[in-house]
């Protein structure tokens, strides 16, 4: 017994080792110091994220149910074997219903004794047999079920694609958030450097009695504010990195990587109708409801078939007896079943199936309306983001010129420290606002790609 247990433990351990190895092979992580592009981040997200794997597994379940339904079209082969040691006492003439759990009930021939003697001796009873059944025809029940399962599998696959679409948007948004946070951090690092140099210059001039002491205090305050902004920007970068790690599911101990794409923008091309047509063609949630509509239609055909007969072919062989050799018997034929009355069950099931069709039809109309809303609002948001970028560029150019002029005036003794620090503050804020505008454009573009389903085709390349 101990040897068997030891063998069992070894087998289980080997199985777990193989299973864990397969899971580890399916999981992909980052390399230390990797140059991470957006495409690579999306690839890791779709490959590693538990929600993506969950939906792919659910799609596999639905796909296997198609095979389960198709199995009804193939021959069904059954076999049985039985040995019983039992008494063989007869009973008097009687009428009874077999409850199903009594293996053998014998009776007496006509004219036999009404009170036969009872014995406690037992005899051997052997039984073996094999049977084959083959579906022939049923007016659409089996094939309706196959069509229903096939449509459900298509709906599950579309649901998996919808999850991919959401995860692509999530990873894209977080990737650009990390880019923007890192870029704003550089803006404030430069501000700290400039304010440090400005403080040093103010201290030198004040010690030489060229400027009042208030210039030093003003420069110190400006440097403190710049350091506070840099601290917040550094924290935003760290939080954005954690969020992106979460999307890519690379674990809490993800190695350091560098995001290499840049925040940029392009003119908006295409009109709203083109984007809407793309959404109608590609959106996985629309494909899901369309597949559900086909499943509902197949269910109607499946239920309606209960009004008609089902035809099957059957054949079998059996051998039974109280000793060997056993008695052989063969059978072959056609079985026709036709429900006559089932308490109006079929009528109610048919009405239910038709009502489900209406549910899906209205849901499809509602979703098409919401898709138009998504596409239209995303398109307008992208156009607005593009205009915001142009406005931010103009503002940044003006504040840059203002800073340059204020710096020259201060160095020439024509301006004061307050004028210079104000110009620097405007420039820093406008520079950060420009980064925010680029980020808003990138997110708006990702929203439009999600609304139209284009990000799925882009990720597939």
């Amino acid at each position: 017994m101990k040897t068997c247990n030891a063998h069992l433990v070894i087998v289980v351990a080997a199985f777990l080792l193989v299973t864990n190895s397969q899971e580890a092979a399916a999981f992909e992580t980052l390399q230390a110091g990797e140059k991470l592009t957006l495409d690579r981040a999306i690839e890791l997200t779709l490959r590693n994220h538990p929600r993506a794997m969950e939906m792919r597994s659910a799609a596999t379940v639905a796909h296997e149910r198609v095979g389960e339904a198709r199995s009804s079209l193939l021959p069904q082969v059954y076999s049985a074997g039985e040995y019983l040691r039992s008494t063989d006492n007869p009973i008097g003439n009687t009428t009874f219903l077999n409850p199903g759990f009594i293996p053998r009930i014998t009776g007496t021939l006509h004219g036999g004794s009404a009170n036969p003697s009872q014995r406690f001796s037992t005899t051997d009873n052997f039984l073996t047999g094999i049977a084959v059944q083959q579906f022939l025809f049923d007016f659409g029940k089996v094939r309706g079920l196959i069509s229903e399962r096939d449509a459900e599998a298509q709906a599950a696959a579309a649901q998996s694609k919808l999850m991919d679409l959401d995860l692509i948007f999530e990873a894209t948004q977080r990737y650009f958030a990390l880019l923007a946070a890192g870029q704003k951090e550089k803006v404030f690092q430069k501000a700290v450097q400039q304010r440090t140099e400005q403080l040093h210059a103010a201290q030198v001039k004040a010690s030489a009695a060229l400027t009042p002491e208030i210039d030093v205090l003003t420069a110190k305050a400006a440097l403190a504010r710049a350091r506070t902004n840099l601290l917040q920007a550094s924290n935003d970068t760290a939080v954005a990195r954690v969020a992106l790690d979460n999307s890519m599911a690379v674990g809490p101990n993800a190695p350091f990587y560098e995001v290499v794409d840049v925040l940029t923008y392009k003119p908006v091309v295409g009109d709203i109708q083109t984007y809407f047509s793309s959404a109608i063609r590609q959106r996985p949630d629309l494909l899901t409801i369309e597949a559900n509509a086909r499943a509902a239609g197949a269910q109607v055909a499946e239920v309606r078939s209960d009004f008609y007969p089902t035809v099957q072919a059957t054949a079998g062989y059996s051998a039974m007896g109280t000793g060997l050799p056993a008695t052989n018997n063969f059978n072959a034929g056609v079985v026709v079943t036709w429900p006559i009355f089932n308490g109006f069950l079929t009528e109610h099931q048919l009405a239910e199936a038709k009502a489900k069709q209406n549910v899906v039809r209205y849901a499809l109309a509602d979703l098409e309306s919401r898709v138009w809303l998504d596409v239209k609002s995303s398109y307008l948001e992208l156009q607005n983001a593009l205009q915001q970028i142009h406005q931010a560029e103009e503002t940044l150019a003006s504040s840059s010129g203002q800073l340059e002029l204020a710096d020259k005036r201060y160095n020439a003794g024509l301006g004061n420290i307050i004028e210079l620090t104000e110009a620097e503050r405007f420039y820093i804020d406008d520079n950060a606002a420009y980064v925010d505008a680029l980020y808003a454009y990138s997110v708006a573009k990702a929203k439009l790609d999600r609304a139209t389903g284009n990000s799925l085709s882009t990720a597939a390349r």
Side-chain angles (χ1 to χ4, degrees):
M1 177 63 71
K2 291 182 178 179
T3 302
C4 293
N5 290 339
H7 289 166
L8 179 61
V9 170
I10 292 173
V11 170
V12 172
F15 173 76
L16 292 176
L17 180 61
V18 171
T19 303
N20 291 335
S21 299
Q22 291 174 344
E23 292 179 353
F27 184 84
E28 186 172 351
T29 188
L30 287 164
Q31 302 298 321
E34 181 174 339
K35 306 293 185 180
L36 185 68
T37 64
L38 176 59
D39 290 341
R40 173 67 171 157
I42 291 174
E43 177 189 357
L44 289 170
T45 299
L46 296 181
R47 180 171 297 182
N48 294 340
H49 205 289
R51 277 181 287 168
M53 292 188 284
E54 175 189 358
M55 296 307 295
R56 285 195 291 268
S57 297
T60 301
V61 170
H63 176 73
E64 294 303 324
R65 285 176 177 167
V66 178
E68 294 172 9
R70 289 185 181 278
S71 66
S72 298
L73 297 176
L74 300 177
Q76 310 294 308
V77 183
Y78 308 92
S79 64
E82 181 181 301
Y83 166 76
L84 291 176
R85 185 78 182 178
S86 67
T87 60
D88 195 23
N89 293 319
I91 60 175
N93 294 331
T94 182
T95 300
F96 63 92
L97 295 175
N98 190 339
F101 58 88
I102 297 177
R104 182 174 181 180
I105 299 178
T106 59
T108 61
L109 297 175
H110 289 288
S113 172
N115 296 301
S117 60
Q118 303 291 305
R119 295 178 299 173
F120 293 95
S121 60
T122 59
T123 59
D124 293 325
N125 290 268
F126 300 94
L127 169 66
T128 184
I130 186 170
V132 180
Q133 290 183 342
Q134 174 60 56
F135 165 83
L136 295 180
F137 190 69
D138 66 355
F139 290 91
K141 187 177 185 63
V142 171
R143 287 181 171 81
L145 178 60
I146 294 172
S147 298
E148 180 184 0
R149 292 290 182 262
D150 187 63
E152 289 172 350
Q154 294 173 12
Q159 283 286 82
S160 179
K161 288 295 183 182
L162 180 61
M163 178 57 67
D164 289 348
L165 190 65
D166 291 336
L167 289 174
I168 290 171
F169 174 71
E170 178 184 290
T172 302
Q173 183 182 27
R174 292 179 177 180
Y175 184 90
F176 286 131
L178 180 56
L179 273 177
Q183 195 162 328
K184 289 176 72 174
E185 187 176 1
K186 292 178 180 177
V187 170
F188 292 117
Q189 285 173 348
K190 185 177 180 180
V192 169
Q193 180 183 354
Q194 290 175 341
R195 296 296 171 91
T196 301
E197 294 172 355
Q198 185 184 99
L199 175 59
H200 176 71
Q203 289 172 335
V204 171
K205 291 180 180 180
S207 64
L210 297 176
T211 57
E213 189 65 27
I214 192 174
D215 285 14
V216 176
L217 297 176
T218 302
K220 283 184 177 180
L223 177 59
R225 284 191 290 270
R227 286 174 174 169
T228 300
N229 292 334
L230 177 59
L231 183 63
Q232 182 61 49
S234 299
N235 181 71
D236 291 343
T237 301
V239 171
R241 183 175 292 274
V242 171
L244 182 57
D245 290 347
N246 177 265
S247 291
M248 296 186 297
V250 292
N253 299 318
F256 180 81
Y257 53 87
E258 180 183 356
V259 287
V260 296
D261 288 353
V262 295
L263 291 173
T264 185
Y265 66 94
K266 296 179 181 179
V268 180
V269 295
D271 56 22
I272 183 63
Q273 191 59 47
T274 301
Y275 285 114
F276 179 65
S277 299
S278 178
I280 293 296
R281 186 175 62 255
Q282 297 181 129
R283 279 278 292 256
D285 44 357
L286 282 171
L287 298 178
T288 298
I289 293 188
E290 290 171 359
N292 287 335
R294 291 192 295 272
Q299 191 177 36
V300 170
E302 179 186 345
V303 173
R304 187 180 285 119
S305 69
D306 284 342
F307 289 117
Y308 306 101
T310 299
V311 183
Q312 287 184 326
T314 182
Y317 160 79
S318 64
M320 63 180 67
T322 58
L324 298 176
T327 302
N328 297 313
N329 287 285
F330 303 89
N331 64 79
V334 175
V335 177
V336 179
T337 58
W338 195 341
I340 303 300
F341 181 72
N342 57 7
F344 302 106
L345 174 64
T346 303
E347 285 81 356
H348 291 299
Q349 288 176 332
L350 184 59
E352 176 189 356
K354 290 181 178 180
K356 286 182 179 179
Q357 276 188 309
N358 292 331
V359 169
V360 176
R361 185 182 302 114
Y362 299 139
L364 181 59
D366 175 65
L367 182 56
E368 287 180 350
S369 176
R370 286 187 284 117
V371 166
W372 169 257
L373 174 62
D374 288 346
V375 173
K376 181 69 173 180
S377 59
S378 299
Y379 182 78
L380 294 175
E381 186 175 346
L382 181 61
Q383 287 185 320
N384 178 67
L386 190 60
Q387 294 173 357
Q388 292 284 350
I389 288 176
H390 295 324
Q391 189 65 40
E393 287 175 335
E394 294 179 6
T395 305
L396 183 59
S398 299
S399 62
S400 177
Q402 180 185 1
L403 175 59
E404 183 180 358
L405 180 61
D407 185 61
K408 290 180 180 179
R409 283 171 54 82
Y410 179 73
N411 291 330
L414 301 176
N416 56 46
I417 191 70
I418 296 176
E419 179 186 359
L420 178 59
T421 55
E422 281 293 298
E424 287 178 339
R425 181 175 65 83
F426 285 133
Y427 176 74
I428 293 169
D429 290 346
D430 292 340
N431 206 342
Y434 179 64
V435 175
D436 289 336
L438 289 174
Y439 170 68
Y441 168 86
S442 300
V443 174
K445 180 64 168 61
K447 282 184 179 180
L448 183 58
D449 287 340
R450 187 205 175 280
T452 58
N454 286 335
S455 52
L456 281 174
S457 56
T458 302
R461 291 200 295 265

